């Protein structure tokens, strides 16, 4: 009897302590959310520029290093770096001299600079979503330098900008609208990929109000095995890149910020960065450039051309899913049985997940019940950090054998009245879920991919 | 009598025909057995006086080109000093110029340097500079320089002349200059690209003609006769290129002539091929695999004794992800790969001992943009050592380095940079004295 009373008391204390910790957290959250004005009230310290001034130099082939020699204007230079169609690599009738009448030259960012920079920095054979992330990173990098008043050149010291690179893609087609190439009617598929990547005009911002809309120094590099590197900026923190641990993964470049090949792996859901490199499927795939960018750049936001913030503060990305099956495919599930699934999740947002269990992984599909508190992971996760989340699935009795169910996984934030998924935590700024189709009580009658790896807003 | 002589004539004719048939049969049979063989032995012992290959019709190169195999020859017991034995002086400026100075290489006397100097309007002076007297001799003027690609002039020992290419009216021309006394003479027009290579004796220059940009031709300098090699190098289609992990290219072939033998290495972004000029055998040098595609050669230099091939290697399309150094020992086929911890290695040059190299490595751009670090490398052991650590060599890797044939000097570009524009304010040529303690 005494023992039972003691246990009850201990349990009561535990509950009180948890409630107290949670109240403190909610209070702090209230302070930061409501007393500090929302950052879109600020966020007007930076106006995205439309042009960029670049010192144009001849470049060292094939590494793209600076030669320290400026492109000549008279006669217009025909060397590599001043033009893609240089006279050493192209027959004389295909050579195109340096196209500008000034050096340094001021060019339009969207309709000139980025169209040559993006395909130069990342081949169009990589996944289009990765190229979209690349375009956003390249734009942000340019904005950062403009905002800082840097004098930049066209070499690898900054971003490689070689005139006519866009025109050289695939079959060397000249866009029929030279002033706005992406508005042309005769683009080839590679050029269209670049145009699609550049079109959203988003950029990466980082900062504290009122300067939270300032562009970030979005360094990027070729590839890193398993982990990126830290350095230089608070948002350039080393992050786990578990998809880059096989196939064509290797260490190329400084390792800070976005891994270009890693980005393509996440976009493909494959450990091989492009189709030609092989095929080693991974358990998750990201379908949005925002997921890639918030994974590699810690605590940043994505903004549109007007500077409006598009991303919520509470974000996550699944790095890996373990279905505990031999081939790691989603098993056919039967009612009355339990199925464990383990997620490796990253906090890709701007807010630390508290270590009190109020942020947890759950799913919609057949069971709307809240996850039991005592099962929640209790490790605090700072932005950029990673932890494992395990869930046991209890499939319902299907109306007929082989009924497909769509399960939607996401991180939830515990609220006073209702727990809210990250996908709808900030009105107007949705985030992405992880969707899977599960066949219950037998194989599905119609063909449905076992893992859709789909992310809907 | 007349009938007798007719009969004798017919008999002699028959005999001659029979000899011809036997000779032809033997030749063809040998040709068949050669082309059937997948092996290419190298180095090949070749006669010093080599004839030109007579046929002008390109030989069909076997597809795929067989991979070179090398017969085992042990390395010489002691062919140089250990790395620690080398001592280097401070770099001393021996020549300045208003723009970039490009170092091409030393003349065999170890006292004069072949250099080019950029002048306004994209022109370039071809000079020979005496490091002792500081005398600067003019060997002509390129109307249109190609700095950054480094299509280097070549010294023709036998002619005591310099051969260099130039762009004229959209055409690549070859000029030969014997110095200030006689103006440079245009000897050839219609080259496919500005890259040339000279035979060790300087009597011949190899180039690619515009008409068939992958069938090399040889120009005999003294007679000004050109002759096509009966060999067409592989020229890959875009589909074949994409199988290598590339979308751009192929880029023009360059060549490096073996210092003692009738062998030439041809290389571009699709492959590196060793061609024996006497028997016109071809094989592909396997530079090793990389997850991102097939390795290709950016620059190739034979060691002075011809045992090693030093190759700057990379993968993919420009901008390439890295440039490292691949050392191939043709004595046993062993490959050694070095990156010295850098993303991009740049210019390099062999020491006369055929064992050591000086190499310039591009410092990390975000930390020390456009600066190059100097290393010496031991090709036998694969060891390396950074030297001259206290100096900032700006852009030096772009403009070349050369270790003198005496082994006592290293020449490298050491320009001064205008910090506001990031361009070269003054071109400089530096000499570093080298001492190897025994």
């Amino acid at each position: 009897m005494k023992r039972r009373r003691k246990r009850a008391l201990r349990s009561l204390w535990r509950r009180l302590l948890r409630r107290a910790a949670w109240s403190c957290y909610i209070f702090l959250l209230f302070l930061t959310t409501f007393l500090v004005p929302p950052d879109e009230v600020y966020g007007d310290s930076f106006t995205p520029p439309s042009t960029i001034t670049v010192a144009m130099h001849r470049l060292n082939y094939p590494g793209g290093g600076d030669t320290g020699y400026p492109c000549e204007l008279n006669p217009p230079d025909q060397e590599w770096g001043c033009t893609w169609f240089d006279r050493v690599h192209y027959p004389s009738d295909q050579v195109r001299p340096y196209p500008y009448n000034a050096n340094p030259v001021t060019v339009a960012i969207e309709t000139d600079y980025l169209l040559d920079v993006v395909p130069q920095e990342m081949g169009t054979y990589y996944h289009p979503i990765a190229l979209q992330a690349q375009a956003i990173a390249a734009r942000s990098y340019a904005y950062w330098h403009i905002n800082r008043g840097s004098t930049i050149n066209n070499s690898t010291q900054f971003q490689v900008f070689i005139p006519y690179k866009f025109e050289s893609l695939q079959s060397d087609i000249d866009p029929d609208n030279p002033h706005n190439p992406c508005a042309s009617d005769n683009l080839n598929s590679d050029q269209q990929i670049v145009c699609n990547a550049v079109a959203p005009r988003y950029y990466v911002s980082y900062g504290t109000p009122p300067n939270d809309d300032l562009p970030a120094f979005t360094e990027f590099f070729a590839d890193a095995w398993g982990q990126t590197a830290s350095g230089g900026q608070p948002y350039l923190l080393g992050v786990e890149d578990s998809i880059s641990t096989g196939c064509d993964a290797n260490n190329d470049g400084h390792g800070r910020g976005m891994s270009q090949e890693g980005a393509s792996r996440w976009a493909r859901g494959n450990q091989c960065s492009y189709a030609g490199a092989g095929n080693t499927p991974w358990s998750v795939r990201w379908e949005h450039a925002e997921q890639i960018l918030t994974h590699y750049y810690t605590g940043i936001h994505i903004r549109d051309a007007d500077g409006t913030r598009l991303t919520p503060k509470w974000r996550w990305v699944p790095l890996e899913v373990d279905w505990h099956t031999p081939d790691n495919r989603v098993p056919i599930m039967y009612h009355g049985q339990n199925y464990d699934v383990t997620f490796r999740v990253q906090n890709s947002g701007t807010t630390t997940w508290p270590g009190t269990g109020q942020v947890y992984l759950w799913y919609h599909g057949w069971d709307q019940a809240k996850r039991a508190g005592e099962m929640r992971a209790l490790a605090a996760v700072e932005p950029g950090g990673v932890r494992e989340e395990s869930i046991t699935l209890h499939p319902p009795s299907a109306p007929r054998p082989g009924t497909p169910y769509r399960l939607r996984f996401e991180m939830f934030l515990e609220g006073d009245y209702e727990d809210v998924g990250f996908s709808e935590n900030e009105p107007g700024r949705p985030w992405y879920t992880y969707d899977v189709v599960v066949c219950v009580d037998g194989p599905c009658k119609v063909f449905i991919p076992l893992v859709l790896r789909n992310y809907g807003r | 009598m007349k009938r007798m002589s007719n009969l004798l004539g017919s008999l002699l004719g028959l005999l001659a025909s029979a000899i011809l048939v036997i000779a032809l049969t033997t030749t063809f049979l040998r040709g068949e057995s050669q082309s059937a063989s997948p092996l290419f032995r190298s180095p090949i012992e070749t006669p010093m006086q080599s004839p030109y290959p007579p046929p002008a019709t390109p030989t069909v190169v076997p597809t795929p080109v067989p991979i070179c195999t090398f017969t085992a020859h042990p390395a010489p017991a002691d062919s140089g000093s250990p790395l620690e034995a080398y001592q280097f002086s401070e770099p001393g400026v021996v020549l300045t110029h208003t723009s970039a100075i490009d170092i091409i290489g030393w003349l065999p006397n170890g006292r004069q340097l072949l250099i080019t100097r950029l002048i306004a309007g994209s022109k370039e002076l071809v000079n020979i500079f005496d490091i002792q007297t500081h005398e600067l001799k003019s060997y002509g003027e390129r109307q249109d320089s190609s700095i950054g690609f480094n299509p280097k002039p070549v010294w023709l020992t036998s002619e005591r002349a310099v051969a260099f290419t130039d762009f004229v009216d959209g055409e690549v021309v070859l000029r030969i200059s014997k110095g200030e006394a006689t103006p440079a003479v245009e000897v050839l027009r219609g080259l496919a690209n500005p890259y040339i290579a000279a035979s060790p004796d300087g009597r011949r220059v190899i180039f690619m003609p515009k008409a068939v940009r992958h069938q090399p031709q040889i120009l005999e300098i003294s007679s000004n006769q050109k002759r096509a090699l009966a060999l067409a190098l592989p020229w890959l289609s875009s589909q074949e290129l994409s199988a290598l992990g590339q979308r751009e290219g192929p880029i023009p072939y360059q060549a490096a002539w073996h210092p003692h033998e009738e062998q030439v290495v041809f290389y571009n972004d699709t492959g590196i091929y060793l061609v024996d000029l006497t028997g016109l055998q071809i094989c592909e040098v396997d530079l090793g695999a990389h997850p991102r595609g097939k390795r290709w050669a950016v620059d190739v230099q034979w060691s002075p004794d011809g045992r090693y091939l030093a190759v700057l290697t990379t993968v993919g399309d420009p901008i390439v992800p890295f440039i490292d150094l691949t050392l191939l020992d043709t004595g046993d086929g062993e490959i050694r790969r070095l990156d010295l911890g850098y993303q991009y290695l740049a210019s390099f040059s062999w020491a006369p001992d055929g064992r050591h190299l000086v190499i310039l490595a591009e410092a990390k751009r975000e930390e020390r943009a456009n600066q190059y670090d100097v290393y010496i490398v031991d090709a036998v052991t694969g060891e390396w050592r950074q030297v001259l650590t206290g100096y900032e060599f700006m852009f030096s890797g772009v403009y070349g380095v050369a270790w003198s044939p005496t082994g006592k000097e290293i020449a490298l570009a050491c320009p001064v940079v205008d910090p506001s524009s990031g361009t070269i304010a003054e071109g400089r040529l530096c000499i570093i004295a080298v001492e190897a303690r025994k």
Side-chain angles (χ1 to χ4, degrees), chain B residues 238-250:
Chain B
S238 53
Q239 287 87 352
E240 290 168 313
L241 266 168
S242 76
L244 306 180
Q246 290 163 234
R247 289 242 171 151
E248 310 291 343

Side-chain angles (χ1 to χ4, degrees), chain A residues 57-58 60-63 66-69 72 79-80 87-89 92 120 156-157 165 190 252 254 256 261, chain B residues 118 122 144-149 167 170 247-248 251-252 292 318-320 365-366 369-370 395 399 423-424:
Chain A
H57 295 178
R58 293 179 179 182
N60 205 11
Y61 188 91
D66 191 0
T67 63
Y69 194 86
E72 299 268 4
E79 296 300 319
W80 194 68
R87 62 176 173 202
V88 172
H89 295 104
S92 53
Q120 185 66 75
T156 44
Q157 191 184 343
K165 174 62 188 175
D190 283 355
D252 270 348
H254 53 64
R256 293 185 300 275
E261 296 198 356
Chain B
L118 274 167
S122 231
D144 228 344
S145 73
S146 283
I147 208 146
F149 284 114
F167 290 89
R247 289 242 171 151
E248 310 291 343
I251 60 171
R292 295 179 70 160
I319 305 300
V320 293
R365 285 165 180 159
E366 54 277 7
N370 302 318
F395 293 115
Y399 296 101
T423 55
I424 292 174

Side-chain angles (χ1 to χ4, degrees), chain B residues 40-247:
Chain B
F40 180 88
R41 289 171 168 265
S42 180
I44 296 165
E45 288 178 13
T46 49
M48 290 306 288
Q49 298 293 324
S50 66
Y52 281 121
T57 318
T59 306
V60 177
V61 171
T63 309
V65 178
I67 298 296
C68 301
T69 56
F70 300 94
T71 10
H73 289 295
D78 180 23
S79 57
S81 311
L83 288 182
E84 302 73 39
Y86 281 100
Q87 296 229 313
F88 299 86
S89 75
E90 285 186 19
V93 179
V94 292
L95 179 67
T96 61
H97 177 57
T98 50
S99 188
I101 300 174
D102 208 355
I103 291 158
I104 311 303
W106 291 86
L107 267 53
N109 62 19
R111 190 178 140 167
Q112 290 172 301
L113 269 168
L114 179 55
I115 60 170
T116 60
R117 294 182 298 149
L118 274 167
I119 52 176
S122 231
K123 292 182 181 176
E124 196 174 55
L125 300 169
V126 181
N127 294 135
I128 285 184
F129 178 70
D130 189 312
I131 61 158
Q132 287 177 13
T133 64
H134 291 197
E135 186 189 10
L136 197 63
K137 284 185 183 167
S138 172
Y139 275 75
E141 188 177 299
R142 267 180 173 163
Q143 294 305 304
D144 228 344
S145 73
S146 283
I147 208 146
F149 284 114
N150 233 1
K152 294 183 175 185
V154 292
W155 173 249
L156 306 172
T157 310
S158 61
E159 305 293 319
R160 301 199 56 73
V162 176
F164 61 93
T165 52
D166 200 358
F167 290 89
V168 178
D169 305 327
E171 286 241 62
V172 183
V173 301
L174 176 66
R175 292 204 174 104
I176 291 181
S177 169
K178 293 197 172 184
E180 282 159 358
T182 46
V185 178
E186 183 184 310
V187 294
L188 209 59
R189 193 167 267 256
L191 282 72
N193 67 65
Y195 298 112
I196 52 173
S199 62
D201 57 10
R203 294 181 195 280
R204 290 164 288 164
V205 166
I206 204 158
F207 65 96
M208 298 292 166
K210 195 176 173 182
V212 190
R213 55 192 168 174
H214 53 114
Q215 187 186 1
Q217 290 195 2
I218 291 177
L219 177 75
E220 176 88 37
I221 303 295
S222 60
S223 63
N224 200 21
Q225 295 286 310
K226 60 178 179 179
R227 193 182 295 243
L229 287 188
L231 177 90
L233 298 163
W235 193 256
L236 302 194
S237 65
S238 53
Q239 287 87 352
E240 290 168 313
L241 266 168
S242 76
L244 306 180
Q246 290 163 234
R247 289 242 171 151

Side-chain angles (χ1 to χ4, degrees), chain B residues 302-313:
Chain B
W302 289 96
S303 61
D305 60 0
R307 183 177 177 102
Y308 290 96
L309 265 179
V311 188
L312 288 181
T313 41

Side-chain angles (χ1 to χ4, degrees), chain A residues 330-347:
Chain A
V330 184
I332 297 167
M333 298 185 185
Y334 294 89
H335 75 274
Q337 293 184 32
N338 300 334
Y339 297 88
D340 290 333
V341 56
T342 306
F343 280 66
R344 203 160 168 73
V345 298
Q346 183 195 19
N347 178 355

